[in-house]
Structure formats: C-alpha cells, structure tokens
Amino acid sequence: MSLEPVQVMSGQVAELPKVAPSSNGDSGGSWEGKREFDKDHLGLTAKPKPPKPENAVTVAVSSRVLFRTEREQKVFEQKGVEEYLRYQIEHENEPFAPGPAFPFVKALEAVNARLRELYPQSEELFDIVLVTYNHAHVGIRLINTINHHNLFIERFCMTGGSSPIGYLKAWQTNLYLSADANKVREALTEGIAAATMFMPEKMTEVSKSQLRVAFDGDAVLFSDESERIFKAHGLDKFFEHEKENEDRLLDHGPLKGFLEALGKLQKKFYAKGQRLDCPIRTYLVTARSAASSGIRALKTLRAWGLEIDEALFLAGAPKGPMLEKIRPHIYFDDQMFHVEGAAEMGTIAAHVPYGIAQKHNSKHNTSAGK
C-alpha cells in the first residue's frame, strides 16, 4: 500500500460523504457535554478565552488534515487558483467533513475541559491554531465548518500561499501537523516538532474520554544515533553499541519536546489525585528488543524526567497489531514502512521525516532500532 498525504486509500474523491448531523464532532455527540463556558461581564454565556501562547501547549494543524479537502484540492490542481477561490466561495455554507487530525483535536479539547474543571484560572491548556495556505476568502467556509462541528479554534493563520513556518515560531508551536511533507521538513529544520499526516482507508474508533499518543523511539523521541549504527554495520553491531553505551543517554529527537509538554499537563492531573483517571496516556512503541537495547531508552527517558505510561518493545515484530490494540489518536514514526503498516490497521499515523532512515525509506525497510 502506498500512502499519499490526506488521500483516500481506495475510492474516488467524488465518493466523499456529506457531513451528516450525526457525524463525529457534531452538536449531538458525547464530546459536547464536556464544553465549559464562562459568563461575561453582562452575565451572558461566552466561550472560554484561548490561553496566551507562552502558557499553552500549542498545536498547529493544517486545514487539509483537520478536514477533508480532497475535492477542493482537485479543483485547485486542475483548474487553478481563481477557479478554486470561486468554488470555495460558492460552497462556503457547506461544511468540510472531518479529516485525519479531527479525532486528535477533539481529544485535545476534551482534555482542556477536564483541566478547566480542575484549574479554572489556569492557562496551561492545549491551544489549537488552524494553519492554511488559503486566501482569506476561504476563511468564511473554514469558520462555518468549525462552528458546524462545535470546535473551539479561535486562532487562524491564513497565509495566502506563503510559508507558515515563521508564524509557527511566533505562536511558540509545540507541534505542527500538515499534509505538506516539504513544510514539515522545513519546520523540523527550524526546531519545531512536526509530522506529515495521512488518511487511512479505514479509521479505528478511538477513545472519546482519553487522549492517546504513541511514539516511535529512535529518530522520533530520541536521536537517530543508534539507527545510524544499525544501517551502517548491521544488527549485531547495533546490539553491541547499545550494550556498551547503556549508561550514556541518547540525544533528544524532534518529538521529545512534545512528549515533555504532554507530561507537564499529565502532572496537573496527578497533583489532583487523578493519576489513574488521567485523560492523557502516552505510549512508546519501538522495534527495539527489551533485553538487548531497551534499557538505554528507558534510562534516557528517566534521566529526562519524562514518564511514558506504556512501553512496548517489539523486537522487530510488526507494530500495526499493537497499535490496533492501543487505538491512539495519533502515532508518530520516522519510517514509512511502519506508517503504512499502522494505516493498514486503521491507525492514524504521522510521518516524522527526520534522520538516517529518510535515505532508506521504502515499504520494504525494516529496522531493529526503531
């Protein structure tokens, strides 16, 4: 199976369903009972204010991964920008259907609702920024869609075709999700955690009460140091290297900061005695072997002061079946082989184009260090 960013695995664009009132995220769904509202100075019901960027965990999401825009993208590619803008304006009262990042964003909002219940005055929350290359004319349709799905997204960044990376830095972005692999690479180069999202042919149902985020190890949470040893010298040398260096910490990878941000919010629930009922759960899903190379990964996380709720050392076994059991809202991996395997099982997977594996990425690749 070959994945394209936010492409349907089978079927045609024309077959995309219209958004029905009962679709995920609509006003009748179970998420809406968690929405918190405040009173303004006149006593009128108002939405909560978005947090200041310096206090928040900021997640920037492209409109092409938050919503299904394949039909519109096809108009742009075949007929050009002017026809594309006309089409968007003509259809601005038709909401987009949910895309691959939609369940993830909904889970972020559910966590925020719990945090507001426990800490009404705190701004340590997730803040979602919608990022799009679109012209401002398309903003009306995006706003209509956000309101239709009852999402709380107040911050928009519509760049009119320009690169959004400078704006991401200004927002102090903790994670950027996009369908554009080139922009993801640009963000990673600038030190921003980023990944390319894909639309699986099928989507596994995910938890509506607990955010679940799964990470690969090498070249995602950790650097690609050990992966380079494996690629250059083989499995035996990799095991030897890890044994000799098990007390030397791995360097950080591109997603380490996002795991750190998740851990900071988790601790706010722990402080209220809700460790066992925490709405954030994290997973390490790695092809490393526990006995021969797992100890260095665990020592590194401990030295960083980071907790991972569950660690799965698969010793080279396929990740797809384990991810199907976990049912994460998102899984990050640097190898397309594993991204495709996850997608085949219905998992929303995101590719982190970082490290030595990008020179070897193909469907037939396997890795001991991952």
Side-chain angles (χ1 to χ4, degrees), residues 151-171:
L151 295 169
F152 180 61
I153 301 177
E154 297 289 355
R155 305 195 198 278
F156 273 41
C157 184
M158 292 176 280
T159 68
S162 300
S163 172
I165 302 305
Y167 297 109
L168 297 180
K169 297 179 76 173
W171 286 119

Side-chain angles (χ1 to χ4, degrees), residues 155-330:
R155 305 195 198 278
F156 273 41
C157 184
M158 292 176 280
T159 68
S162 300
S163 172
I165 302 305
Y167 297 109
L168 297 180
K169 297 179 76 173
W171 286 119
Q172 302 180 39
T173 301
N174 297 92
L175 177 67
Y176 173 48
L177 300 174
S178 175
D180 189 330
N182 291 328
K183 289 294 177 273
V184 166
R185 293 188 188 94
E186 187 180 347
L188 289 170
T189 300
E190 293 295 324
I192 300 168
T196 310
M197 292 200 78
F198 301 90
M199 190 76 192
E201 184 175 332
K202 62 177 183 178
M203 286 179 62
T204 301
E205 185 177 353
V206 293
S207 173
K208 292 180 172 61
S209 59
Q210 184 179 65
L211 170 65
R212 298 176 186 174
V213 182
F215 300 88
D216 179 27
D218 298 280
V220 175
L221 291 180
F222 314 121
S223 73
D224 67 340
E225 167 206 326
S226 298
E227 185 70 12
R228 288 178 178 274
I229 298 295
F230 170 74
K231 296 294 186 187
H233 304 290
L235 188 60
D236 289 342
K237 189 67 176 178
F238 165 78
F239 287 146
E240 179 183 332
H241 175 267
E242 292 304 290
K243 183 65 176 176
E244 290 176 352
N245 292 277
E246 68 177 33
D247 291 323
R248 184 172 66 85
L249 301 184
L250 289 158
D251 198 1
H252 68 84
L255 270 293
K256 182 250 187 176
F258 184 59
L259 175 61
E260 196 169 33
L262 292 177
K264 182 179 178 181
L265 294 183
Q266 281 181 309
K267 289 176 181 177
K268 293 177 73 69
F269 291 99
Y270 300 166
K272 296 290 187 177
Q274 296 190 13
R275 177 180 284 270
L276 298 180
D277 188 33
C278 182
I280 304 172
R281 194 162 184 85
T282 57
Y283 303 79
L284 173 65
V285 182
T286 173
R288 281 178 176 257
S289 303
S292 56
S293 57
I295 191 169
R296 189 180 183 197
L298 293 177
K299 283 185 175 181
T300 297
L301 289 172
R302 185 170 65 187
W304 287 345
L306 298 181
E307 294 186 37
I308 201 89
D309 293 302
E310 298 189 30
L312 283 73
F313 294 93
L314 303 185
K319 297 181 179 181
M322 296 296 105
L323 291 168
E324 185 181 31
K325 178 65 176 177
I326 294 169
R327 300 194 173 196
H329 292 85
I330 193 167

